[in-house]
Amino acid sequence: MTEPRLLLGIDLGGTSTKLLLETDDGTTVDRAQVATPRGPALADDLVAAVVGFLGGRAVAGAGLTVPGLVDPDGTVLACVNLPWIEGHDLGARLAGVIGAPVRTLNDGEASAGAEALRGAGRGHDDVYVVALGTGIAGKHVVGGTVQRGAHLAAGEIGHLSLDPHGAPCSCGQRGCLETFIGGPHLVRRWHQAGQGRARDAVAAGTDPDPGAQAVVDAARQGDAAARDVAATAVDALAAVLLGVVATLDPGLIVIGGGLAQAEDVIVAPARDAVRRRATFHHVPPVVTAELGPWAGAAGAALAARAVVDDEPAGVLTPST
Amino acid sequence: MTEPRLLLGIDLGGTSTKLLLETDDGTTVDRAQVATPRGPALADDLVAAVVGFLGGRAVAGAGLTVPGLVDPDGTVLACVNLPWIEGHDLGARLAGVIGAPVRTLNDGEASAGAEALRGAGRGHDDVYVVALGTGIAGKHVVGGTVQRGAHLAAGEIGHLSLDPHGAPCSCGQRGCLETFIGGPHLVRRWHQAGQGRARDAVAAGTDPDPGAQAVVDAARQGDAAARDVAATAVDALAAVLLGVVATLDPGLIVIGGGLAQAEDVIVAPARDAVRRRATFHHVPPVVTAELGPWAGAAGAALAARAVVDDEPAGVLTPST
């Protein structure tokens, strides 16, 4: 009996990096989380961390996510938070050291692919995965392939404008979905409603996410302004999801990201609002993501399997 | 030297049916247009018309479009204008007579596929084809496959609501794109602007399309109300196209359908408006469709090639 082949998923984040070693059937063999190396030695340090984690275990292939734009050939085209890897093919470098093929891919693509194939989307062929965080992204996973678009830019549903006279958005438009439900905008809206606690949250956090959580918590506790802000956010999300249904007709919608934890305040009301507004639409189930913070590493492991099986870039399904 | 194999495209329309016989490289061998048979004998009469057209010429395969919803197995699920074929597998019937495989597909899918692969989209791998007529549809053709959605319902961009307080739409929502640019709505808006000529056009035509053309003609001639109606329609179209760009990131947008003939009044202003509104977007070229009324038959011939080459339903690219 031969040893099962091992696949390595590396989820390179802006602050921490997750390493996941699994067998071909998806069973976790080992995992670890390390601080993401920063500075010009990032690549050297990352390779050293991977080699240390493997401790001599041979892998058949690896997937490597980066929080940025990745050319299908593996070159990192843009990575605002880790600029040292821009223009480099980190995967090729790593492949030379571990002696196995490496596929580099966008982190959101990896997370969405994992959620579609192994998380809440298991068994569905056509899944739309929405990430609700500081920004909002949507990835359409069809037949195990994340739809990337002609310029690798598909899924910017956070920047669908719902109100041309609405709040200014970082993208230069006004009234985008992000201005209703993006974490910092939730806090801003609550703040503008004049709540002292909201002001405190803004003052306290450099990271806007705790702020968004504060809005959710306040809504749960009956804070009227927080409930209004959440209701407006849910309406905007429902309008966009209904547009996704009309345009793409997905078989399932999965809501992930930090705000997806707020099932009672965000996900359930959005699900209800989509159903209430629908007319001719085939409204699919709207469910919460399941994989949590290890989704990216799981997607990287799927990409590892795909590169070993010689699948084209973007395909995450096992070829079997 | 062997004879090149022949492929048959049949575009079954609500009033007329087009027959196109071509060689494997897409060269037209013969074509004809006949009145669409109506009534319970539709299938018999259509088969007879096809046999008569072929006149003994053997085909390797055929594609058959229907103006309705087609199950991937070939059964016509819904066909409002030709109800006699609902629930039937017209393609299987035809296959038995011509002794070659037949693939049945939706007519819009066929036209869009042909436009993407052989028309204005030639050489592009990722094309969004918009049909502007009485209704509005968008078909995303990626790698030679028309994206159908989980319930065969993708592409309902005519029913993206731009204004929840806008005009009632046939779909039950308000302020949909169709209420701004759908042919009958263009006429309605012009009519409501109080123009006598618009009232005449409405009175004259049972088919709303000449009405839409009358609005376009009036706008060209400087009619202020018609220009306003067209400008509002163009704005709505641009908003939706920009949303398509953000969501799908297509490599090319092709505008077809009757109103696409109005390059000066509709297509060029929409192209300009999309560019003007874009911020982060990768705006692709926005071009006019090229194939005209034979697009559906050309798409049917592509489906014929696909079924002969054993491609899965939905794939239209030649396997070579």
Side-chain angles (χ1 to χ4, degrees), chain A residues 161-163 239-240 242-243 246-247 277 279-281, chain B residues 156-167 169 171-180 236 239-240:
Chain A
S161 173
L162 298 164
D163 177 5
V240 164
L242 203 60
T247 306
R277 287 160 173 248
T279 60
F280 68 92
H281 310 76
Chain B
E156 292 288 358
I157 61 168
H159 299 293
L160 294 175
S161 172
L162 298 164
D163 177 3
H165 307 291
C169 183
C171 77
Q173 300 183 104
R174 285 181 170 269
C176 294
L177 174 61
E178 187 171 309
T179 69
F180 291 95
V240 164

PDB file of all heavy atoms in Angstrom, chain A residues 161-163 239-240 242-243 246-247 277 279-281, chain B residues 156-167 169 171-180 236 239-240:
ATOM      1  N   SER A 161     -23.547  50.644  -7.786  1.00  0.00           N
ATOM      2  CA  SER A 161     -24.143  51.842  -7.205  1.00  0.00           C
ATOM      3  C   SER A 161     -25.657  51.693  -7.119  1.00  0.00           C
ATOM      4  O   SER A 161     -26.333  51.412  -8.108  1.00  0.00           O
ATOM      5  CB  SER A 161     -23.790  53.060  -8.057  1.00  0.00           C
ATOM      6  OG  SER A 161     -24.511  54.184  -7.579  1.00  0.00           O
ATOM      7  N   LEU A 162     -26.165  51.871  -5.929  1.00  0.00           N
ATOM      8  CA  LEU A 162     -27.607  51.776  -5.708  1.00  0.00           C
ATOM      9  C   LEU A 162     -28.248  53.145  -5.658  1.00  0.00           C
ATOM     10  O   LEU A 162     -29.468  53.268  -5.710  1.00  0.00           O
ATOM     11  CB  LEU A 162     -27.870  51.057  -4.370  1.00  0.00           C
ATOM     12  CG  LEU A 162     -27.337  49.624  -4.332  1.00  0.00           C
ATOM     13  CD1 LEU A 162     -27.283  49.118  -2.898  1.00  0.00           C
ATOM     14  CD2 LEU A 162     -28.206  48.727  -5.182  1.00  0.00           C
ATOM     15  N   ASP A 163     -27.445  54.185  -5.525  1.00  0.00           N
ATOM     16  CA  ASP A 163     -27.972  55.533  -5.373  1.00  0.00           C
ATOM     17  C   ASP A 163     -26.921  56.523  -5.872  1.00  0.00           C
ATOM     18  O   ASP A 163     -25.945  56.819  -5.174  1.00  0.00           O
ATOM     19  CB  ASP A 163     -28.281  55.798  -3.893  1.00  0.00           C
ATOM     20  CG  ASP A 163     -28.766  57.220  -3.654  1.00  0.00           C
ATOM     21  OD1 ASP A 163     -28.945  57.970  -4.630  1.00  0.00           O
ATOM     22  OD2 ASP A 163     -28.963  57.580  -2.474  1.00  0.00           O
ATOM     23  N   ALA A 239     -31.004  44.112  -2.447  1.00  0.00           N
ATOM     24  CA  ALA A 239     -31.154  44.631  -3.811  1.00  0.00           C
ATOM     25  C   ALA A 239     -30.053  44.073  -4.717  1.00  0.00           C
ATOM     26  O   ALA A 239     -30.304  43.669  -5.858  1.00  0.00           O
ATOM     27  CB  ALA A 239     -31.111  46.160  -3.801  1.00  0.00           C
ATOM     28  N   VAL A 240     -28.842  44.034  -4.188  1.00  0.00           N
ATOM     29  CA  VAL A 240     -27.726  43.527  -5.000  1.00  0.00           C
ATOM     30  C   VAL A 240     -27.851  42.023  -5.210  1.00  0.00           C
ATOM     31  O   VAL A 240     -27.615  41.517  -6.321  1.00  0.00           O
ATOM     32  CB  VAL A 240     -26.377  43.911  -4.359  1.00  0.00           C
ATOM     33  CG1 VAL A 240     -25.233  43.083  -4.944  1.00  0.00           C
ATOM     34  CG2 VAL A 240     -26.119  45.400  -4.569  1.00  0.00           C
ATOM     35  N   LEU A 242     -30.559  40.309  -5.330  1.00  0.00           N
ATOM     36  CA  LEU A 242     -31.624  40.067  -6.302  1.00  0.00           C
ATOM     37  C   LEU A 242     -31.112  40.339  -7.725  1.00  0.00           C
ATOM     38  O   LEU A 242     -31.476  39.626  -8.675  1.00  0.00           O
ATOM     39  CB  LEU A 242     -32.834  40.950  -5.980  1.00  0.00           C
ATOM     40  CG  LEU A 242     -34.169  40.457  -6.506  1.00  0.00           C
ATOM     41  CD1 LEU A 242     -34.530  39.085  -5.942  1.00  0.00           C
ATOM     42  CD2 LEU A 242     -35.265  41.451  -6.166  1.00  0.00           C
ATOM     43  N   GLY A 243     -30.255  41.337  -7.854  1.00  0.00           N
ATOM     44  CA  GLY A 243     -29.635  41.603  -9.154  1.00  0.00           C
ATOM     45  C   GLY A 243     -28.711  40.473  -9.580  1.00  0.00           C
ATOM     46  O   GLY A 243     -28.665  40.094 -10.758  1.00  0.00           O
ATOM     47  N   ALA A 246     -30.968  37.733 -10.843  1.00  0.00           N
ATOM     48  CA  ALA A 246     -31.490  38.021 -12.185  1.00  0.00           C
ATOM     49  C   ALA A 246     -30.408  37.843 -13.247  1.00  0.00           C
ATOM     50  O   ALA A 246     -30.668  37.355 -14.343  1.00  0.00           O
ATOM     51  CB  ALA A 246     -32.049  39.443 -12.238  1.00  0.00           C
ATOM     52  N   THR A 247     -29.191  38.253 -12.918  1.00  0.00           N
ATOM     53  CA  THR A 247     -28.123  38.268 -13.916  1.00  0.00           C
ATOM     54  C   THR A 247     -27.475  36.899 -14.079  1.00  0.00           C
ATOM     55  O   THR A 247     -27.187  36.473 -15.198  1.00  0.00           O
ATOM     56  CB  THR A 247     -27.053  39.305 -13.513  1.00  0.00           C
ATOM     57  OG1 THR A 247     -27.691  40.565 -13.312  1.00  0.00           O
ATOM     58  CG2 THR A 247     -25.975  39.432 -14.578  1.00  0.00           C
ATOM     59  N   ARG A 277     -38.832  40.525  -2.153  1.00  0.00           N
ATOM     60  CA  ARG A 277     -38.771  41.379  -3.342  1.00  0.00           C
ATOM     61  C   ARG A 277     -38.892  40.593  -4.645  1.00  0.00           C
ATOM     62  O   ARG A 277     -39.163  41.175  -5.702  1.00  0.00           O
ATOM     63  CB  ARG A 277     -37.421  42.093  -3.391  1.00  0.00           C
ATOM     64  CG  ARG A 277     -37.256  43.207  -2.374  1.00  0.00           C
ATOM     65  CD  ARG A 277     -35.757  43.480  -2.200  1.00  0.00           C
ATOM     66  NE  ARG A 277     -35.497  44.633  -1.382  1.00  0.00           N
ATOM     67  CZ  ARG A 277     -34.966  45.776  -1.841  1.00  0.00           C
ATOM     68  NH1 ARG A 277     -34.649  45.895  -3.118  1.00  0.00           N
ATOM     69  NH2 ARG A 277     -34.750  46.772  -1.037  1.00  0.00           N
ATOM     70  N   THR A 279     -39.825  38.495  -7.869  1.00  0.00           N
ATOM     71  CA  THR A 279     -41.059  38.306  -8.644  1.00  0.00           C
ATOM     72  C   THR A 279     -40.847  37.080  -9.551  1.00  0.00           C
ATOM     73  O   THR A 279     -41.209  35.967  -9.171  1.00  0.00           O
ATOM     74  CB  THR A 279     -41.410  39.572  -9.447  1.00  0.00           C
ATOM     75  OG1 THR A 279     -40.359  39.894 -10.354  1.00  0.00           O
ATOM     76  CG2 THR A 279     -41.662  40.739  -8.516  1.00  0.00           C
ATOM     77  N   PHE A 280     -40.227  37.274 -10.698  1.00  0.00           N
ATOM     78  CA  PHE A 280     -39.991  36.165 -11.627  1.00  0.00           C
ATOM     79  C   PHE A 280     -38.783  35.328 -11.225  1.00  0.00           C
ATOM     80  O   PHE A 280     -38.534  34.264 -11.804  1.00  0.00           O
ATOM     81  CB  PHE A 280     -39.729  36.720 -13.040  1.00  0.00           C
ATOM     82  CG  PHE A 280     -38.432  37.470 -13.117  1.00  0.00           C
ATOM     83  CD1 PHE A 280     -37.257  36.814 -13.478  1.00  0.00           C
ATOM     84  CD2 PHE A 280     -38.363  38.807 -12.782  1.00  0.00           C
ATOM     85  CE1 PHE A 280     -36.047  37.502 -13.533  1.00  0.00           C
ATOM     86  CE2 PHE A 280     -37.170  39.504 -12.820  1.00  0.00           C
ATOM     87  CZ  PHE A 280     -36.014  38.850 -13.201  1.00  0.00           C
ATOM     88  N   HIS A 281     -38.014  35.825 -10.260  1.00  0.00           N
ATOM     89  CA  HIS A 281     -36.694  35.250  -9.976  1.00  0.00           C
ATOM     90  C   HIS A 281     -36.763  33.818  -9.444  1.00  0.00           C
ATOM     91  O   HIS A 281     -37.672  33.462  -8.726  1.00  0.00           O
ATOM     92  CB  HIS A 281     -35.964  36.106  -8.941  1.00  0.00           C
ATOM     93  CG  HIS A 281     -35.941  37.567  -9.250  1.00  0.00           C
ATOM     94  ND1 HIS A 281     -37.039  38.384  -9.061  1.00  0.00           N
ATOM     95  CD2 HIS A 281     -34.961  38.366  -9.725  1.00  0.00           C
ATOM     96  CE1 HIS A 281     -36.729  39.625  -9.420  1.00  0.00           C
ATOM     97  NE2 HIS A 281     -35.482  39.638  -9.833  1.00  0.00           N
TER      98      HIS A 281
ATOM     99  N   GLU B 156     -31.161  37.981 -17.097  1.00  0.00           N
ATOM    100  CA  GLU B 156     -32.365  38.834 -17.057  1.00  0.00           C
ATOM    101  C   GLU B 156     -32.011  40.266 -16.658  1.00  0.00           C
ATOM    102  O   GLU B 156     -32.617  40.847 -15.750  1.00  0.00           O
ATOM    103  CB  GLU B 156     -33.406  38.247 -16.104  1.00  0.00           C
ATOM    104  CG  GLU B 156     -34.003  36.949 -16.590  1.00  0.00           C
ATOM    105  CD  GLU B 156     -34.958  37.131 -17.777  1.00  0.00           C
ATOM    106  OE1 GLU B 156     -35.175  38.280 -18.185  1.00  0.00           O
ATOM    107  OE2 GLU B 156     -35.451  36.106 -18.282  1.00  0.00           O
ATOM    108  N   ILE B 157     -31.056  40.844 -17.373  1.00  0.00           N
ATOM    109  CA  ILE B 157     -30.632  42.201 -17.019  1.00  0.00           C
ATOM    110  C   ILE B 157     -31.695  43.240 -17.347  1.00  0.00           C
ATOM    111  O   ILE B 157     -31.635  44.359 -16.845  1.00  0.00           O
ATOM    112  CB  ILE B 157     -29.296  42.593 -17.685  1.00  0.00           C
ATOM    113  CG1 ILE B 157     -29.424  42.548 -19.209  1.00  0.00           C
ATOM    114  CG2 ILE B 157     -28.173  41.681 -17.206  1.00  0.00           C
ATOM    115  CD1 ILE B 157     -28.232  43.194 -19.894  1.00  0.00           C
ATOM    116  N   GLY B 158     -32.660  42.876 -18.161  1.00  0.00           N
ATOM    117  CA  GLY B 158     -33.774  43.789 -18.426  1.00  0.00           C
ATOM    118  C   GLY B 158     -34.614  44.016 -17.186  1.00  0.00           C
ATOM    119  O   GLY B 158     -35.357  44.991 -17.097  1.00  0.00           O
ATOM    120  N   HIS B 159     -34.462  43.115 -16.213  1.00  0.00           N
ATOM    121  CA  HIS B 159     -35.259  43.223 -14.988  1.00  0.00           C
ATOM    122  C   HIS B 159     -34.402  43.521 -13.766  1.00  0.00           C
ATOM    123  O   HIS B 159     -34.727  43.130 -12.646  1.00  0.00           O
ATOM    124  CB  HIS B 159     -36.135  41.982 -14.820  1.00  0.00           C
ATOM    125  CG  HIS B 159     -37.079  41.832 -15.970  1.00  0.00           C
ATOM    126  ND1 HIS B 159     -38.097  42.725 -16.199  1.00  0.00           N
ATOM    127  CD2 HIS B 159     -37.106  40.956 -17.006  1.00  0.00           C
ATOM    128  CE1 HIS B 159     -38.734  42.388 -17.316  1.00  0.00           C
ATOM    129  NE2 HIS B 159     -38.152  41.321 -17.824  1.00  0.00           N
ATOM    130  N   LEU B 160     -33.308  44.237 -14.000  1.00  0.00           N
ATOM    131  CA  LEU B 160     -32.594  44.860 -12.886  1.00  0.00           C
ATOM    132  C   LEU B 160     -33.306  46.175 -12.609  1.00  0.00           C
ATOM    133  O   LEU B 160     -33.466  47.005 -13.510  1.00  0.00           O
ATOM    134  CB  LEU B 160     -31.130  45.107 -13.267  1.00  0.00           C
ATOM    135  CG  LEU B 160     -30.311  43.834 -13.498  1.00  0.00           C
ATOM    136  CD1 LEU B 160     -28.908  44.193 -13.978  1.00  0.00           C
ATOM    137  CD2 LEU B 160     -30.237  42.990 -12.232  1.00  0.00           C
ATOM    138  N   SER B 161     -33.727  46.354 -11.375  1.00  0.00           N
ATOM    139  CA  SER B 161     -34.478  47.563 -11.033  1.00  0.00           C
ATOM    140  C   SER B 161     -33.521  48.713 -10.744  1.00  0.00           C
ATOM    141  O   SER B 161     -32.629  48.613  -9.908  1.00  0.00           O
ATOM    142  CB  SER B 161     -35.362  47.301  -9.819  1.00  0.00           C
ATOM    143  OG  SER B 161     -35.938  48.528  -9.391  1.00  0.00           O
ATOM    144  N   LEU B 162     -33.720  49.797 -11.447  1.00  0.00           N
ATOM    145  CA  LEU B 162     -32.890  50.985 -11.257  1.00  0.00           C
ATOM    146  C   LEU B 162     -33.575  52.006 -10.380  1.00  0.00           C
ATOM    147  O   LEU B 162     -32.952  52.952  -9.925  1.00  0.00           O
ATOM    148  CB  LEU B 162     -32.582  51.610 -12.623  1.00  0.00           C
ATOM    149  CG  LEU B 162     -31.798  50.694 -13.559  1.00  0.00           C
ATOM    150  CD1 LEU B 162     -31.870  51.207 -14.987  1.00  0.00           C
ATOM    151  CD2 LEU B 162     -30.349  50.581 -13.106  1.00  0.00           C
ATOM    152  N   ASP B 163     -34.860  51.833 -10.194  1.00  0.00           N
ATOM    153  CA  ASP B 163     -35.634  52.826  -9.442  1.00  0.00           C
ATOM    154  C   ASP B 163     -36.840  52.127  -8.825  1.00  0.00           C
ATOM    155  O   ASP B 163     -37.836  51.860  -9.511  1.00  0.00           O
ATOM    156  CB  ASP B 163     -36.089  53.943 -10.388  1.00  0.00           C
ATOM    157  CG  ASP B 163     -36.956  54.976  -9.683  1.00  0.00           C
ATOM    158  OD1 ASP B 163     -37.155  54.854  -8.448  1.00  0.00           O
ATOM    159  OD2 ASP B 163     -37.446  55.894 -10.361  1.00  0.00           O
ATOM    160  N   PRO B 164     -36.762  51.848  -7.516  1.00  0.00           N
ATOM    161  CA  PRO B 164     -37.858  51.113  -6.870  1.00  0.00           C
ATOM    162  C   PRO B 164     -39.192  51.865  -6.910  1.00  0.00           C
ATOM    163  O   PRO B 164     -40.237  51.273  -6.656  1.00  0.00           O
ATOM    164  CB  PRO B 164     -37.368  50.921  -5.430  1.00  0.00           C
ATOM    165  CG  PRO B 164     -36.180  51.793  -5.250  1.00  0.00           C
ATOM    166  CD  PRO B 164     -35.641  52.129  -6.606  1.00  0.00           C
ATOM    167  N   HIS B 165     -39.148  53.157  -7.248  1.00  0.00           N
ATOM    168  CA  HIS B 165     -40.383  53.924  -7.360  1.00  0.00           C
ATOM    169  C   HIS B 165     -40.729  54.223  -8.820  1.00  0.00           C
ATOM    170  O   HIS B 165     -41.568  55.078  -9.106  1.00  0.00           O
ATOM    171  CB  HIS B 165     -40.250  55.246  -6.580  1.00  0.00           C
ATOM    172  CG  HIS B 165     -39.808  55.034  -5.162  1.00  0.00           C
ATOM    173  ND1 HIS B 165     -40.613  54.443  -4.216  1.00  0.00           N
ATOM    174  CD2 HIS B 165     -38.627  55.285  -4.543  1.00  0.00           C
ATOM    175  CE1 HIS B 165     -39.948  54.356  -3.066  1.00  0.00           C
ATOM    176  NE2 HIS B 165     -38.747  54.857  -3.238  1.00  0.00           N
ATOM    177  N   GLY B 166     -40.050  53.533  -9.735  1.00  0.00           N
ATOM    178  CA  GLY B 166     -40.231  53.823 -11.155  1.00  0.00           C
ATOM    179  C   GLY B 166     -41.476  53.179 -11.742  1.00  0.00           C
ATOM    180  O   GLY B 166     -42.359  52.694 -11.025  1.00  0.00           O
ATOM    181  N   ALA B 167     -41.529  53.174 -13.061  1.00  0.00           N
ATOM    182  CA  ALA B 167     -42.698  52.659 -13.779  1.00  0.00           C
ATOM    183  C   ALA B 167     -42.853  51.162 -13.530  1.00  0.00           C
ATOM    184  O   ALA B 167     -41.867  50.442 -13.414  1.00  0.00           O
ATOM    185  CB  ALA B 167     -42.524  52.929 -15.278  1.00  0.00           C
ATOM    186  N   CYS B 169     -43.214  47.342 -14.176  1.00  0.00           N
ATOM    187  CA  CYS B 169     -42.662  46.477 -15.222  1.00  0.00           C
ATOM    188  C   CYS B 169     -43.513  45.209 -15.310  1.00  0.00           C
ATOM    189  O   CYS B 169     -44.128  44.795 -14.320  1.00  0.00           O
ATOM    190  CB  CYS B 169     -41.218  46.140 -14.883  1.00  0.00           C
ATOM    191  SG  CYS B 169     -40.390  45.149 -16.142  1.00  0.00           S
ATOM    192  N   CYS B 171     -42.658  42.384 -15.123  1.00  0.00           N
ATOM    193  CA  CYS B 171     -42.143  41.332 -14.233  1.00  0.00           C
ATOM    194  C   CYS B 171     -42.659  41.485 -12.810  1.00  0.00           C
ATOM    195  O   CYS B 171     -42.403  40.635 -11.959  1.00  0.00           O
ATOM    196  CB  CYS B 171     -40.621  41.329 -14.229  1.00  0.00           C
ATOM    197  SG  CYS B 171     -39.878  42.634 -13.237  1.00  0.00           S
ATOM    198  N   GLY B 172     -43.352  42.585 -12.533  1.00  0.00           N
ATOM    199  CA  GLY B 172     -43.875  42.778 -11.188  1.00  0.00           C
ATOM    200  C   GLY B 172     -43.041  43.721 -10.339  1.00  0.00           C
ATOM    201  O   GLY B 172     -43.466  44.131  -9.260  1.00  0.00           O
ATOM    202  N   GLN B 173     -41.848  44.058 -10.824  1.00  0.00           N
ATOM    203  CA  GLN B 173     -41.040  45.040 -10.114  1.00  0.00           C
ATOM    204  C   GLN B 173     -41.338  46.425 -10.706  1.00  0.00           C
ATOM    205  O   GLN B 173     -42.171  46.584 -11.585  1.00  0.00           O
ATOM    206  CB  GLN B 173     -39.547  44.704 -10.275  1.00  0.00           C
ATOM    207  CG  GLN B 173     -39.162  43.347  -9.737  1.00  0.00           C
ATOM    208  CD  GLN B 173     -37.666  43.100  -9.867  1.00  0.00           C
ATOM    209  OE1 GLN B 173     -36.921  43.170  -8.903  1.00  0.00           O
ATOM    210  NE2 GLN B 173     -37.211  42.823 -11.075  1.00  0.00           N
ATOM    211  N   ARG B 174     -40.605  47.412 -10.225  1.00  0.00           N
ATOM    212  CA  ARG B 174     -40.723  48.770 -10.770  1.00  0.00           C
ATOM    213  C   ARG B 174     -39.357  49.264 -11.212  1.00  0.00           C
ATOM    214  O   ARG B 174     -38.337  48.914 -10.633  1.00  0.00           O
ATOM    215  CB  ARG B 174     -41.256  49.735  -9.708  1.00  0.00           C
ATOM    216  CG  ARG B 174     -42.744  49.578  -9.451  1.00  0.00           C
ATOM    217  CD  ARG B 174     -43.242  50.558  -8.406  1.00  0.00           C
ATOM    218  NE  ARG B 174     -44.697  50.544  -8.363  1.00  0.00           N
ATOM    219  CZ  ARG B 174     -45.483  51.340  -9.087  1.00  0.00           C
ATOM    220  NH1 ARG B 174     -44.953  52.254  -9.890  1.00  0.00           N
ATOM    221  NH2 ARG B 174     -46.785  51.245  -9.003  1.00  0.00           N
ATOM    222  N   GLY B 175     -39.380  50.116 -12.219  1.00  0.00           N
ATOM    223  CA  GLY B 175     -38.158  50.812 -12.620  1.00  0.00           C
ATOM    224  C   GLY B 175     -37.075  49.922 -13.198  1.00  0.00           C
ATOM    225  O   GLY B 175     -35.895  50.261 -13.133  1.00  0.00           O
ATOM    226  N   CYS B 176     -37.472  48.779 -13.765  1.00  0.00           N
ATOM    227  CA  CYS B 176     -36.493  47.900 -14.398  1.00  0.00           C
ATOM    228  C   CYS B 176     -35.893  48.561 -15.646  1.00  0.00           C
ATOM    229  O   CYS B 176     -36.517  49.441 -16.249  1.00  0.00           O
ATOM    230  CB  CYS B 176     -37.151  46.591 -14.827  1.00  0.00           C
ATOM    231  SG  CYS B 176     -37.723  45.597 -13.437  1.00  0.00           S
ATOM    232  N   LEU B 177     -34.733  48.080 -16.063  1.00  0.00           N
ATOM    233  CA  LEU B 177     -34.126  48.572 -17.303  1.00  0.00           C
ATOM    234  C   LEU B 177     -35.128  48.544 -18.450  1.00  0.00           C
ATOM    235  O   LEU B 177     -35.190  49.474 -19.257  1.00  0.00           O
ATOM    236  CB  LEU B 177     -32.886  47.728 -17.648  1.00  0.00           C
ATOM    237  CG  LEU B 177     -32.221  48.029 -18.990  1.00  0.00           C
ATOM    238  CD1 LEU B 177     -31.732  49.466 -19.052  1.00  0.00           C
ATOM    239  CD2 LEU B 177     -31.063  47.054 -19.255  1.00  0.00           C
ATOM    240  N   GLU B 178     -35.916  47.482 -18.507  1.00  0.00           N
ATOM    241  CA  GLU B 178     -36.890  47.352 -19.593  1.00  0.00           C
ATOM    242  C   GLU B 178     -37.886  48.512 -19.627  1.00  0.00           C
ATOM    243  O   GLU B 178     -38.345  48.894 -20.708  1.00  0.00           O
ATOM    244  CB  GLU B 178     -37.642  46.020 -19.455  1.00  0.00           C
ATOM    245  CG  GLU B 178     -38.556  45.711 -20.619  1.00  0.00           C
ATOM    246  CD  GLU B 178     -39.119  44.293 -20.563  1.00  0.00           C
ATOM    247  OE1 GLU B 178     -38.336  43.335 -20.411  1.00  0.00           O
ATOM    248  OE2 GLU B 178     -40.348  44.151 -20.665  1.00  0.00           O
ATOM    249  N   THR B 179     -38.199  49.079 -18.457  1.00  0.00           N
ATOM    250  CA  THR B 179     -39.160  50.190 -18.440  1.00  0.00           C
ATOM    251  C   THR B 179     -38.540  51.483 -18.970  1.00  0.00           C
ATOM    252  O   THR B 179     -39.227  52.489 -19.135  1.00  0.00           O
ATOM    253  CB  THR B 179     -39.723  50.461 -17.027  1.00  0.00           C
ATOM    254  OG1 THR B 179     -38.691  50.995 -16.188  1.00  0.00           O
ATOM    255  CG2 THR B 179     -40.280  49.196 -16.399  1.00  0.00           C
ATOM    256  N   PHE B 180     -37.220  51.452 -19.188  1.00  0.00           N
ATOM    257  CA  PHE B 180     -36.555  52.618 -19.762  1.00  0.00           C
ATOM    258  C   PHE B 180     -36.244  52.435 -21.249  1.00  0.00           C
ATOM    259  O   PHE B 180     -36.278  53.386 -22.014  1.00  0.00           O
ATOM    260  CB  PHE B 180     -35.237  52.910 -19.020  1.00  0.00           C
ATOM    261  CG  PHE B 180     -35.429  53.403 -17.619  1.00  0.00           C
ATOM    262  CD1 PHE B 180     -35.394  52.526 -16.542  1.00  0.00           C
ATOM    263  CD2 PHE B 180     -35.649  54.751 -17.371  1.00  0.00           C
ATOM    264  CE1 PHE B 180     -35.572  52.987 -15.236  1.00  0.00           C
ATOM    265  CE2 PHE B 180     -35.828  55.226 -16.076  1.00  0.00           C
ATOM    266  CZ  PHE B 180     -35.793  54.343 -15.002  1.00  0.00           C
ATOM    267  N   ALA B 236     -30.010  54.612 -18.440  1.00  0.00           N
ATOM    268  CA  ALA B 236     -30.368  53.371 -17.750  1.00  0.00           C
ATOM    269  C   ALA B 236     -29.525  52.212 -18.277  1.00  0.00           C
ATOM    270  O   ALA B 236     -29.016  51.394 -17.505  1.00  0.00           O
ATOM    271  CB  ALA B 236     -31.865  53.089 -17.942  1.00  0.00           C
ATOM    272  N   ALA B 239     -26.018  52.448 -16.890  1.00  0.00           N
ATOM    273  CA  ALA B 239     -25.934  52.030 -15.480  1.00  0.00           C
ATOM    274  C   ALA B 239     -25.878  50.512 -15.384  1.00  0.00           C
ATOM    275  O   ALA B 239     -25.079  49.945 -14.621  1.00  0.00           O
ATOM    276  CB  ALA B 239     -27.124  52.577 -14.692  1.00  0.00           C
ATOM    277  N   VAL B 240     -26.710  49.846 -16.167  1.00  0.00           N
ATOM    278  CA  VAL B 240     -26.722  48.382 -16.118  1.00  0.00           C
ATOM    279  C   VAL B 240     -25.430  47.810 -16.703  1.00  0.00           C
ATOM    280  O   VAL B 240     -24.851  46.868 -16.155  1.00  0.00           O
ATOM    281  CB  VAL B 240     -27.978  47.828 -16.830  1.00  0.00           C
ATOM    282  CG1 VAL B 240     -27.839  46.340 -17.132  1.00  0.00           C
ATOM    283  CG2 VAL B 240     -29.202  48.073 -15.951  1.00  0.00           C
TER     284      VAL B 240
END
